[in-house]
Amino acid sequence: MKRGVIFLNGEPYRGPMDCEGALTVCCDGALRWAEDRARIDIKAGDFDSLGFVPAGALTYPSEKNFTDGEIALDLLIGRGCGRIDIYGAGGGREDHLFGNLQLLVAGFRRGVQTVMHTNYVDAYCAEGTVRWHSLAGRTLSLAPVGERAHIIESEGLKYPLLDLTLAAGSCRGISNVVEAEEAHVVCDAGTLFVFVVREDAKW
């Protein structure tokens, strides 16, 4: 599977990054933290945050209908990437974080495994049977994409989720705990946001 990586201008990502063999796109101000940590194949964005346009960059107007993250996602999907990892999407402005979560939905709906890595969680979208391996002891949160998502059953979680509708406006689904080496939920209606809290994350 062809892989892509996006570096965004949020909180600089501190953990290890898996960029080996991936096509990488660095957006605007992310160049400040990503340039010394990874190979960058494409620099793209309006560069209003960075303050200058790097040589060879793909430039876009600052007044546009798409974020730099959306542009990067489209670039990578257009080049055949079946999995895209996003780093630097958290921290700073919460409106940008909300927008970056929409990148997960956009990628998922186009059949691309899209995972956002912040300094606190790994997040992605899922439907049907969602399985976790070797995550015992980790905190896990689930939320609906849109109005609601229904979970018919679960296994291996501290708080069982049985015939449960997760609905917009409710915090039900936040801060469960994986208790088994093999755990799963079955989402039989709707789409889930899945947040796996990183081992070193502190509340």
Side-chain angles (χ1 to χ4, degrees), residues 36-49:
D36 293 334
R37 296 197 56 203
R39 185 195 74 257
I40 295 173
D41 298 310
I42 302 171
K43 300 169 186 176
D46 53 33
F47 298 101
D48 57 350
S49 297

Side-chain angles (χ1 to χ4, degrees), residues 144-163:
V145 174
E147 283 294 317
R148 58 185 58 85
H150 185 260
I151 297 175
I152 191 66
E153 69 173 52
S154 70
E155 186 173 321
L157 301 180
K158 181 176 182 179
Y159 306 109
L161 306 176
L162 304 174
D163 191 18

Side-chain angles (χ1 to χ4, degrees), residues 141-144 159-162 164-167 169-175:
S141 292
L142 304 172
Y159 306 109
L161 306 176
L162 304 174
L164 172 68
T165 296
L166 299 178
S170 169
C171 293
R172 185 73 182 272
I174 302 298
S175 291

Side-chain angles (χ1 to χ4, degrees), residues 4-9 17-45 47 50 52 54-58 72 75-76 79 87:
V5 168
I6 299 172
F7 303 116
L8 292 180
N9 185 32
M17 299 187 294
D18 182 10
C19 303
E20 185 69 28
L23 179 63
T24 63
V25 180
C26 185
C27 295
D28 202 334
L31 196 64
R32 296 190 187 98
W33 69 265
E35 190 170 36
D36 293 334
R37 296 197 56 203
R39 185 195 74 257
I40 295 173
D41 298 310
I42 302 171
K43 300 169 186 176
F47 298 101
L50 189 61
F52 67 93
L58 299 178
L75 282 171
L76 291 175
R79 297 191 183 200
Y87 297 96

Side-chain angles (χ1 to χ4, degrees), residues 106-183:
F108 181 79
R109 288 178 175 170
R110 293 169 72 177
V112 175
Q113 185 180 7
T114 310
V115 184
M116 182 175 80
H117 308 277
T118 75
N119 289 320
Y120 307 98
V121 301
D122 300 313
Y124 53 93
C125 291
E127 294 175 349
T129 301
V130 189
R131 302 184 184 277
W132 300 283
H133 308 281
S134 303
L135 292 182
R138 301 278 290 276
T139 298
L140 174 78
S141 292
L142 304 172
V145 174
E147 283 294 317
R148 58 185 58 85
H150 185 260
I151 297 175
I152 191 66
E153 69 173 52
S154 70
E155 186 173 321
L157 301 180
K158 181 176 182 179
Y159 306 109
L161 306 176
L162 304 174
D163 191 18
L164 172 68
T165 296
L166 299 178
S170 169
C171 293
R172 185 73 182 272
I174 302 298
S175 291
N176 211 321
V177 179
V178 180
E179 290 197 322
E181 288 301 303
E182 302 291 330

Side-chain angles (χ1 to χ4, degrees), residues 93-115:
R93 288 173 49 180
E94 284 77 6
D95 56 336
H96 280 292
L97 173 60
F98 180 81
N100 293 335
L101 287 171
Q102 305 314 304
L103 300 179
L104 303 181
V105 181
F108 181 79
R109 288 178 175 170
R110 293 169 72 177
V112 175
Q113 185 180 7
T114 310
V115 184

